[in-house]
Amino acid sequence: MPRIVGQIDQAKSQAILDAAAEVLGTGGLSAPMDEIARRAGVSKQTIYNHYGSKAELIRAIVDRRVEEIAAPLLAPGAQDHPQEALAGFGRVMLELVLRPLGRSMLKMTVQAADDMPDLARAFYEAGPRTSRRRLADFLRQETLAGRLAVDDPDQAADFFAGMVIGVRQIAGLLGVEQAAEPEVIERVAQEAARRFMRAYGID
Amino acid sequence: MPRIVGQIDQAKSQAILDAAAEVLGTGGLSAPMDEIARRAGVSKQTIYNHYGSKAELIRAIVDRRVEEIAAPLLAPGAQDHPQEALAGFGRVMLELVLRPLGRSMLKMTVQAADDMPDLARAFYEAGPRTSRRRLADFLRQETLAGRLAVDDPDQAADFFAGMVIGVRQIAGLLGVEQAAEPEVIERVAQEAARRFMRAYGID
DNA sequence: AATGAGCTGGACTATTGAGTCCATTTTTCG
DNA sequence: CGAAAAATGGACTCAATAGTCCAGCTCATT
């Protein structure tokens, strides 16, 4: 989202955004603008031409990702058995949390939270809040259909999301390395869905 | 843990540590040393006499708390019914996460993670890791006693901790305000324990 | 070819904050 | 009491970094 709309090179805007996400995500928000410029293969002035300040650059990074975050969280297609749908939810959430992109985005937002509370809130709404809401809607619907017996869908959604994400999110923030292999993701999502069914099944 | 051991005033050491925890916890790690000095009612030079640098001061804050964190996570006394013990675990974990002290400690550690990975790791071990381990031990033991049917205690412990903590930890880091009333804590802990029993009960 | 918008690179300013210095005062303790 | 240790406070140095400036360069369009 360049500030000046003339012959500005859109490809450069992207390159800057990518480089900034990379640099700020790994090195922290205090990483210098010069390094971003170097990484993007662009002069510092150009960054300031495209985005007006470091804060706006950070905002642009998060804004771009925020749109992508909510996308995969669409309610999964109604399956025969809700357990499959739950596992699908779990898989998507775990991937969001474990992938480097989701990680660095969260780290950035947490670091920025003190100075840019609105940004932190927007991220919270788009990520954690939206995922819980969609999940709660699904649980409500399945309960109405008689396939689950969930009395408090919001709480249950929080429980399930917590089971799946577990300690992984905070470990990522603390830089404690963790496996993100697809098999692990699949296993955790499946098992969480299975246990959730026992906890909230109709039997 | 003053660096120079002469006639140094221990009370001042504490005052500095308290002020630093307060200032750095609320304002972020970039809060200036001058403000800490002001808040502690002490000259800046005195801080440097007691702790050699800002990094060491941060370390001292975290080290002090790390010892306190693990303390309440002692295995609860064996109850008649494991559900009560689980609820107790949940209550303690939630309190750690929701109290301002635990919050600011986590925030500080996350912010410092880039520059002081060893500190982040120590915090991770003392907090999240220890709590899961103790919980897993408890589950193992209850399974041996025939009161639970947990096949993978580590995973189950992670599930339970995740249910209880849920979205609250990340919300705290993002500065999205949340209730920490005792009734809420109690209700969540009880319900999580109840659902966990259904998911992992012997029946 | 000429134009002009955007880009480069590197020097420059201004600010902020860690850590030091030091002359003076206060506290501790033999 | 008197000396040594510690604390004060305020000025100081030094490094890092956001953001600006500018002279010369690139390149698409006409």
Side-chain angles (χ1 to χ4, degrees), chain B residues 7 30-34 44-45 48 53-54:
Chain B
Q7 303 178 5
S30 59
M33 292 293 268
D34 296 82
K44 194 165 52 154
Q45 183 60 58
Y48 283 93
S53 67
K54 192 174 189 176

Side-chain angles (χ1 to χ4, degrees), chain B residues 154-178:
Chain B
D154 292 315
Q155 182 178 66
D158 202 25
F159 280 175
F160 182 72
M163 288 172 76
V164 169
I165 292 170
V167 81
R168 291 170 196 85
Q169 193 160 49
I170 201 65
L173 282 173
L174 290 173
V176 180
E177 283 317 317
Q178 275 195 311

Side-chain angles (χ1 to χ4, degrees), chain A residues 1-192:
Chain A
M1 203 171 285
R3 315 193 64 207
I4 301 167
V5 282
Q7 304 177 5
I8 276 196
D9 191 339
Q10 297 297 328
K12 271 197 210 308
S13 278
Q14 279 305 313
I16 293 170
L17 222 51
D18 290 340
E22 167 76 20
V23 170
L24 297 177
T26 58
L29 285 191
S30 59
M33 292 293 269
D34 295 83
E35 195 186 328
I36 297 172
R38 204 165 41 72
R39 180 66 140 269
V42 137
S43 82
K44 195 163 53 152
Q45 183 60 58
T46 299
I47 297 182
Y48 282 94
N49 285 346
H50 284 240
Y51 309 91
S53 66
K54 191 174 189 176
E56 286 179 71
L57 177 58
I58 292 167
R59 218 171 270 282
I61 296 170
V62 175
D63 283 349
R64 176 174 66 160
R65 296 304 185 197
V66 151
E67 296 170 19
E68 299 176 14
I69 286 173
L73 287 172
L74 290 169
Q79 320 274 344
D80 287 344
H81 203 293
Q83 181 169 334
E84 283 311 306
L86 279 171
F89 259 115
R91 205 177 302 119
V92 169
M93 285 192 279
L94 258 183
E95 273 163 5
L96 279 175
V97 167
L98 290 176
R99 287 274 169 71
L101 203 114
R103 271 196 189 193
S104 63
M105 207 52 46
L106 177 62
K107 209 172 88 177
M108 280 181 49
T109 321
V110 167
Q111 285 184 355
D114 285 329
D115 297 328
M116 309 163 79
D118 57 320
L119 187 73
R121 173 150 234 119
F123 179 85
Y124 177 75
E125 292 294 335
R129 201 75 198 77
T130 296
S131 63
R132 264 66 165 185
R133 189 142 36 207
R134 300 234 171 113
L135 188 46
D137 288 345
F138 171 75
L139 296 176
R140 223 180 313 269
Q141 171 187 318
E142 290 294 303
T143 296
L144 279 178
R147 286 188 290 269
L148 281 178
V150 177
D151 53 347
D152 184 340
D154 292 316
Q155 183 178 64
D158 201 26
F159 280 175
F160 182 73
M163 288 173 76
V164 170
I165 293 170
V167 80
R168 290 168 196 85
Q169 193 161 50
I170 201 65
L173 283 172
L174 290 174
V176 179
E177 283 318 316
Q178 275 196 313
E181 290 104 29
E183 316 90 70
V184 175
I185 292 178
E186 188 59 35
R187 209 189 93 242
V188 171
Q190 288 289 351
E191 180 66 6

